[in-house]
Amino acid sequence: QVQLVESGGGLVQPGGSLRLSCAASGSISSIGAMGWYRQAPGKQRELVAGITSGGSPNYADSVKGRFTISRDNAKKTVYLNMNSMKPEDTAVYYCNGDVRATGLSWKTYWGQGTQVTVSS
């Protein structure tokens, strides 16, 4: 069974930094695009950043220049480095990934989410 497990959330002051990690585990044949989404209270889930299997990133306008997405294919892990954080970055952050489990078709999986709070 494929699982995506996030880590690295927490409380940070405005202007500070955090690094989120998301590791895929299970019987995996291939991993395609991966991404980070976030959902603030009372708001819809939104894409923060995505990265293709080849490493090409894309970002929401609200985080360009502050956040960096990267991946380590050998570790089956995607990262989100967040700098110059703002209170409006406060949300539950979710990772997702297009994964082909061994013997099965491609499917999009989601992590359980990790809380990020930006506050003084």
Side-chain angles (χ1 to χ4, degrees):
Q1 183 174 347
V2 174
Q3 286 188 313
L4 299 183
V5 179
E6 300 107 335
S7 60
L11 174 65
V12 63
Q13 292 187 341
S17 300
L18 275 180
R19 188 193 200 202
L20 304 182
S21 300
C22 173
S25 64
S27 183
I28 295 171
S29 293
S30 301
I31 301 178
M34 302 188 79
W36 287 95
Y37 288 72
R38 67 187 181 188
Q39 187 167 19
K43 295 188 177 181
Q44 290 188 330
R45 191 174 297 189
E46 62 176 0
L47 175 67
V48 176
I51 188 166
T52 67
S53 57
S56 296
N58 65 280
Y59 299 96
D61 288 342
S62 58
V63 306
K64 281 181 181 177
R66 300 189 298 120
F67 291 9
T68 302
I69 189 170
S70 61
R71 64 190 289 167
D72 184 330
N73 291 332
K75 294 182 178 180
K76 300 184 178 67
T77 299
V78 62
Y79 305 96
L80 186 67
N81 284 294
M82 304 183 289
N83 299 314
S84 302
M85 296 188 72
K86 305 175 180 179
E88 50 264 44
D89 293 322
T90 296
V92 178
Y93 283 70
Y94 300 89
C95 77
N96 83 343
D98 295 330
V99 179
R100 184 170 64 183
T102 303
L104 299 176
S105 301
W106 287 93
K107 179 181 175 181
T108 299
Y109 292 85
W110 289 87
Q112 80 286 354
T114 186
Q115 177 69 47
V116 171
T117 302
V118 185
S119 175
S120 55

